[in-house]
Amino acid sequence: MTAILGISAFYHDSAAALVVDGRIAAAAQEERFSRIKHDAAFPHQATQWCLQHAGLTAGDLDYVAFYDKPLLKFDRLLETYLAFAPAGLASFSQAMPLWLHKKLHLPREMRAALGGDYRRRFVFPEHHESHAASAFFPSPFQDAAILTLDGVGEWATAICGHGQGNRLEISHELRFPHSLGLLYSAFTYFCGFRVNSGEYKLMGLAPYGDPKYVQTILDHVVDLKEDGSLRLDLSYFQYCQGLRMTSKRMDGLFDGPPRAPESPITQREMDLAASIQRVTEEAMLRSARHLHRITGSKNLCLAGGVALNCVGNGRILREGPFEKVWIQPAAGDAGGALGAALFVWHQLLDQPRTAEPLDSMAGARLGPSYGDDEIAQVLDSEGARYTTYEDDEALCQRVAELLEQGRVVGWFQGAMEFGPRALGCRSILGDARSSKMQAVMNLKIKFRESFRPFAPVVLEEHAHRWFDLQPEENSPYMLLVAPVREERRQGGETLEKAKQGEGPSGPAELPPAARERLRQVRGQIPAVTHVDFSARVQTVDAHRHGRFHTLLNAFHQRTDCPVLINTSFNVRGEPIVESPEQAYRCFRATGMDVLVLEHHVLLEEDQADAKVDREAYLAQFHLD
């Protein structure tokens, strides 16, 4: 037996992943255990869980792989600081203590974190090698082009490559400071959202705007080449030398300073979001077309933080030259831990690989799970009142009935997902046909901005009847945006306004004209149809999703609609719940009506004790 532990840490979304004899045995992000969203600390708890789950100790490991090369990254930081000196002193002073005390001594730090029991070698693939390995090796392809796009690793910010069998080869790279990921993050910052966590808000805001700044961006800010490579005019940015993403020169180009976080959103921010989204999609498409020309492959694998831009992914699938596209569900830095471990197994140890027909990610269900008896003990200790159903069919029929009644359901089933998306294991569900459900879930349960769209989950066999997908196309990891079919855009209702104001966090709101657009008639599934009639689709099949597929089938039988809302089981600023205790507390602190923990069903009106204090609950989390 060969056991390889992969680790990502110290930048964003630390994680651990365990590969045993080439099989992905476990993977989890540290934030799910620490309850600190996007936790960047060393993944102590995630590592311990992975080892315990596999029945191993640190001493049983054959290799430990870290997802990038710290010394090469340090070289880039020093060279950048020197190039911009004396500017950047404040940033340099903040960064150096962590580097000098920890990051430059990673073998020492990792040995200590593993209790001193690991005595073998450490392996340090390059950052984008880890991304590329996470994209190709778990994919269903024996041969595929590989494209990774993110902010920055050591020096590379994007790479093109080709995977065949058990090998991958990187042929081209784009280097810092020129980066599509940093460009998008700069506009995330300029529009008042938090870098490295608010990019998906920018993507959700884009359909409200007019892409009026596209030519301004292309004329002044970025020189986008036909092959998808780009060069930034660094006079508009400060990420090389300062603590801000953009410079004062950007303020002059776009009619004022960056929007203050949590302040009202104006038409300018909506137009900027639409514009940078359009530029990003064009860069992704050009990169994909160039990669197809140089590899000749009919398949494409994607990873890196930009690969979480599901609108761009959808355009690559629909308009690009590849027949099939597979995207790593943990496309960001967390997935680098898995990629590093797989890189060692296949690329360094030269172990054979046979692509599995679906993929080898097990539906991304790679984290902790809890049995009925274990959950019952938790519920009994809380004094909860619940009903237990003996089989899946009876359970799913009851939950489908509750969903049809307009109830909001917390759904906690099986192994926790790896990656940023809840895929039916740690989810909050609702009826997509409801005209009020989007406002209810955004403002009364998630406590987040009302403009944020929810994703539909749909039975895979019916997806092409509701969305513009081909019958053989699937999206099991919620990483593709597709238009709602034309005939499904008719016969719906105007979205209702929320019956209460914004949540205690006071998220920023849209201007009146955009709010009115949000309420316009949007067809048969208004709660998951965005203002441009698009949707971030998750397809559900029996093989990957088991009981979740049974639930959707039951709902379809009752309503003739195979679509539900699926959003992550958490509130704004909180990591997705990991344990039954966390799920129960979130249920009691929000406006959820029903909690389903494996075969146990709790109704809010049946609970005897007082609800968890909502203000106190939200105060635990740093809002993103």
Side-chain angles (χ1 to χ4, degrees):
M1 181 187 76
T2 302
I4 306 167
L5 179 69
I7 291 172
S8 63
F10 300 134
Y11 180 62
H12 187 67
D13 281 337
S14 294
L18 184 64
V19 171
V20 178
D21 290 339
R23 178 182 64 86
I24 305 170
Q29 291 137 275
E30 185 70 4
E31 67 165 18
R32 307 295 168 84
F33 303 93
S34 69
R35 312 310 296 157
I36 301 170
K37 195 162 188 177
H38 304 304
D39 194 346
F42 189 90
H44 291 277
Q45 296 178 80
T47 295
Q48 289 306 309
W49 177 80
C50 287
L51 292 172
Q52 290 169 9
H53 178 70
L56 302 175
T57 67
D60 297 321
L61 293 170
D62 296 282
Y63 298 90
V64 173
F66 191 76
Y67 80 131
D68 67 11
K69 292 184 181 294
L71 288 176
L72 190 57
K73 183 174 284 188
F74 189 64
D75 172 71
R76 187 254 300 168
L77 288 173
L78 287 181
E79 187 169 323
T80 302
Y81 283 130
L82 287 171
F84 285 89
L89 180 61
S91 177
F92 178 83
S93 300
Q94 285 191 17
M96 283 305 103
L98 181 60
W99 275 97
L100 295 175
H101 288 95
K102 286 192 174 183
K103 292 185 180 182
L104 289 177
H105 308 283
L106 265 179
R108 180 193 70 194
E109 291 294 314
M110 289 193 287
R111 287 197 197 281
L114 293 168
D117 296 327
Y118 179 73
R119 299 292 182 183
R120 298 181 177 91
R121 65 178 293 193
F122 292 98
V123 182
F124 296 90
E126 288 194 24
H127 183 94
H128 278 270
E129 285 179 330
S130 296
H131 276 320
S134 78
F136 176 64
F137 291 137
S139 79
F141 309 135
Q142 280 293 110
D143 177 284
I146 304 168
L147 176 63
T148 75
L149 302 159
D150 69 0
V152 60
E154 297 87 3
W155 281 100
T157 63
I159 62 105
C160 292
H162 190 201
Q164 287 183 303
N166 70 337
R167 311 293 294 175
L168 60 85
E169 180 179 351
I170 296 171
S171 56
H172 300 76
E173 69 176 38
L174 183 67
R175 305 197 92 196
F176 182 85
H178 307 290
S179 164
L180 182 60
L182 289 174
L183 174 66
Y184 201 85
S185 290
F187 277 83
T188 299
Y189 164 84
F190 198 83
C191 289
F193 302 119
R194 184 176 294 180
V195 171
N196 289 329
S197 67
E199 283 78 4
Y200 57 94
K201 297 183 184 182
L202 197 69
M203 185 175 62
L205 187 63
Y208 292 91
D210 173 15
K212 60 186 286 186
Y213 295 110
V214 167
Q215 201 57 49
T216 303
I217 294 170
L218 293 175
D219 288 344
H220 297 278
V221 179
V222 57
D223 179 13
L224 179 60
K225 307 296 186 182
E226 278 304 310
D227 62 0
S229 64
L230 53 85
R231 290 190 64 81
L232 303 180
D233 183 337
L234 296 179
S235 66
Y236 290 98
F237 303 92
Q238 272 194 296
Y239 56 76
C240 288
Q241 72 273 32
L243 300 174
R244 288 166 40 111
M245 289 297 294
T246 61
S247 72
K248 295 287 186 181
R249 196 167 183 218
M250 189 81 87
D251 304 3
L253 191 63
F254 295 119
D255 309 315
R259 167 183 163 259
E262 302 298 315
S263 65
I265 294 170
T266 69
Q267 187 64 45
R268 182 190 71 150
E269 284 77 54
M270 294 187 292
D271 293 343
L272 282 169
S275 301
I276 193 60
Q277 178 64 34
R278 182 73 60 85
V279 170
T280 300
E281 292 168 24
E282 183 62 27
M284 293 174 73
L285 270 169
R286 291 187 188 186
S287 297
R289 289 167 179 152
H290 174 69
L291 187 53
H292 184 262
R293 286 193 295 269
I294 63 176
T295 64
S297 179
K298 64 181 181 180
N299 305 312
L300 173 65
C301 295
L302 288 167
V306 178
L308 294 173
N309 192 305
C310 47
V311 180
N313 296 340
R315 288 196 63 191
I316 287 175
L317 180 64
R318 291 190 304 275
E319 303 173 38
F322 292 97
E323 294 179 18
K324 294 183 179 180
V325 177
W326 190 85
I327 306 148
Q328 166 55 239
D333 279 0
L338 175 60
L342 290 171
F343 186 87
V344 171
W345 177 253
H346 292 298
Q347 194 83 354
L348 300 186
L349 300 182
D350 199 25
Q351 292 293 331
R353 169 184 174 270
T354 300
E356 297 186 15
L358 296 178
D359 58 47
S360 59
M361 289 294 296
R365 296 173 297 164
L366 298 169
S369 61
Y370 297 84
D372 281 324
D373 291 344
E374 191 174 5
I375 292 170
Q377 291 179 6
V378 171
L379 295 177
D380 291 341
S381 70
E382 296 282 358
R385 296 178 179 178
Y386 58 94
T387 301
T388 302
Y389 291 82
E390 295 302 319
D391 58 69
D392 287 0
E393 189 62 35
L395 171 75
C396 291
Q397 287 294 338
R398 175 56 174 150
V399 177
E401 177 186 23
L402 293 165
L403 286 164
E404 186 184 16
Q405 293 170 3
R407 306 288 192 100
V408 177
V409 176
W411 179 256
F412 183 104
Q413 302 287 326
M416 181 180 68
E417 303 93 335
F418 183 53
R421 310 292 187 214
L423 302 169
C425 301
R426 304 291 187 273
S427 292
I428 299 174
L429 309 176
D431 187 348
R433 302 169 304 156
S434 169
S435 61
K436 64 181 180 181
M437 192 57 69
Q438 182 184 23
V440 167
M441 292 180 76
N442 262 330
L443 300 180
K444 294 178 66 176
I445 295 167
K446 300 287 282 188
F447 307 122
R448 68 184 198 180
E449 301 90 342
S450 64
F451 68 82
R452 305 249 309 264
F454 286 109
V457 283
V458 57
L459 289 170
E460 183 179 271
E461 57 269 32
H462 293 281
H464 65 284
R465 298 187 180 96
W466 290 78
F467 305 96
D468 281 342
L469 294 167
Q470 296 301 312
E472 69 277 6
E473 288 175 351
N474 59 45
S475 178
Y477 301 119
M478 204 188 289
L479 286 170
L480 292 173
V481 162
V484 175
R485 288 187 65 86
E486 187 72 35
E487 62 269 25
R488 301 296 181 182
R489 302 179 188 183
Q490 310 303 319
E493 302 174 9
T494 298
L495 291 177
E496 294 183 17
K497 294 180 180 178
K499 296 296 190 291
Q500 70 173 37
E502 296 173 357
S505 58
E509 190 50 272
L510 297 173
R515 290 204 300 271
E516 189 57 35
R517 187 180 174 197
L518 175 62
R519 295 186 63 246
Q520 290 173 359
V521 174
R522 299 231 293 281
Q524 297 174 26
I525 45 174
V528 294
T529 303
H530 207 8
V531 292
D532 60 350
F533 293 103
S534 68
R536 191 182 72 205
V537 180
Q538 181 194 356
T539 55
V540 174
D541 63 86
H543 179 81
R544 288 188 183 93
H545 301 104
R547 195 176 296 155
F548 197 33
H549 186 268
T550 304
L551 173 63
L552 269 172
N553 256 328
F555 186 78
H556 183 219
Q557 291 165 10
R558 296 184 68 90
T559 65
D560 200 32
C561 177
V563 183
L564 287 171
I565 298 172
N566 176 20
T567 189
S568 55
F569 199 145
N570 61 341
V571 297
R572 185 177 181 230
E574 178 187 20
I576 296 174
V577 299
E578 181 272 315
S579 69
E581 293 92 340
Q582 293 161 12
Y584 179 77
R585 285 186 57 78
C586 186
F587 163 64
R588 298 310 315 282
T590 66
M592 259 181 280
D593 305 302
V594 182
L595 175 62
V596 184
L597 298 162
E598 294 295 331
H599 287 92
H600 307 302
V601 177
L602 292 74
L603 303 180
E604 175 56 40
E605 64 263 28
D606 290 345
Q607 307 311 309
D609 59 327
K611 290 176 71 71
V612 172
D613 183 83
R614 190 174 293 179
E615 294 275 5
Y617 186 79
L618 290 172
Q620 303 173 79
F621 309 115
H622 299 287
L623 299 180
D624 61 343

